[in-house]
């Protein structure tokens, strides 16, 4: 599936819209992790008395979330929450990012969020209001206009 490239002058979503999308994404990820992480580990613990070490559990979460995000970003540039909030992931030129660039964005997002959200707070000082992991990975979040809508949309 090919996604049309957005012009370089694409409207950037507000920080409020992007944070709202992140919060909604966290709710969706609870369901993803409960099915793909919690259920198998509960079955191992209750059925076989096996408790995996913490580094294996963290690695499992990293792989499951990576599969979720990369699959959605590669197939359209939007996760479910990004579709709801009309946000799309592109390169600064408006093209679909490569798989390697998307993987780099995913890896860089972990420290960006885990270090007290420093990469998200970075957007307050960035000239384009982009997150730190987007700036470093060479990606950007753009506002995706509704198809067939010629009216000017003023996103929050």
């Amino acid at each position: 599936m090919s996604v049309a490239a957005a012009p370089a002058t694409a409207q950037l979503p507000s920080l409020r819209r992007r944070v709202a999308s992140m919060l909604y994404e966290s709710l969706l990820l609870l369901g993803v992790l409960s099915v793909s992480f919690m259920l198998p580990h509960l079955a191992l613990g209750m059925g076989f008395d096996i408790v995996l070490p913490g580094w294996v559990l963290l690695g499992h979460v990293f792989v499951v979330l990576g599969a979720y995000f990369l699959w959605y970003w590669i197939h359209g540039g939007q996760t479910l929450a990004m579709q709801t909030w009309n946000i799309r992931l592109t390169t600064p030129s408006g093209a679909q990012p490569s798989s390697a660039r998307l993987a780099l964005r995913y890896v860089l997002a972990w420290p960006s969020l885990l270090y007290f959200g420093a990469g998200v707070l970075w957007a307050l000082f960035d000239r384009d209001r982009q997150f730190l992991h987007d700036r470093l990975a060479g990606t950007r979040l753009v506002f995706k206009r509704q198809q067939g809508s010629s009216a000017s949309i003023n996103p929050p």
Side-chain angles (χ1 to χ4, degrees):
M1 175 191 328
S2 174
V3 175
T9 60
Q11 187 176 9
L12 301 176
S14 66
L15 183 59
R16 184 174 68 171
R17 179 176 285 266
R18 288 180 285 147
V19 170
S21 176
M22 288 174 59
L23 291 174
Y24 183 48
E25 194 81 66
S26 66
L27 289 175
L28 295 173
L29 290 176
L30 286 174
V32 170
L33 287 175
S34 68
V35 170
S36 59
F37 175 78
M38 190 175 70
L39 290 178
H41 290 286
L42 278 175
L44 282 173
M46 290 177 13
F48 304 102
D49 270 342
I50 297 173
V51 178
L52 298 174
W55 63 270
V56 173
L57 300 177
L58 184 59
H60 189 180
V61 168
F62 184 81
V63 169
V64 165
L65 294 181
Y68 170 84
F69 282 111
L70 291 174
W71 191 88
Y72 275 106
W73 290 340
I74 290 169
H75 295 92
Q78 296 176 292
T79 62
L80 295 173
M82 292 167 77
Q83 290 172 23
T84 301
W85 287 93
N86 295 323
I87 297 172
R88 189 165 64 89
L89 189 60
T90 67
T91 62
S93 66
Q96 173 75 22
S98 67
S99 297
R101 190 175 293 234
L102 293 172
L104 177 62
R105 181 185 195 266
Y106 174 71
V107 170
L108 291 173
W110 277 85
S112 180
L113 293 171
L114 291 179
Y115 288 116
F116 306 106
V120 175
L121 294 175
W122 171 273
L124 295 172
F125 307 102
D126 187 78
R127 69 177 178 267
D128 295 326
R129 300 286 187 229
Q130 294 296 303
F131 297 135
L132 180 59
H133 51 274
D134 284 314
R135 180 67 64 196
L136 294 174
T139 58
R140 76 178 339 169
L141 295 170
V142 296
F143 184 71
K144 182 181 180 191
R145 296 196 185 280
Q146 296 291 343
Q147 299 222 351
S149 173
S150 60
S152 175
I153 298 173
N154 189 10

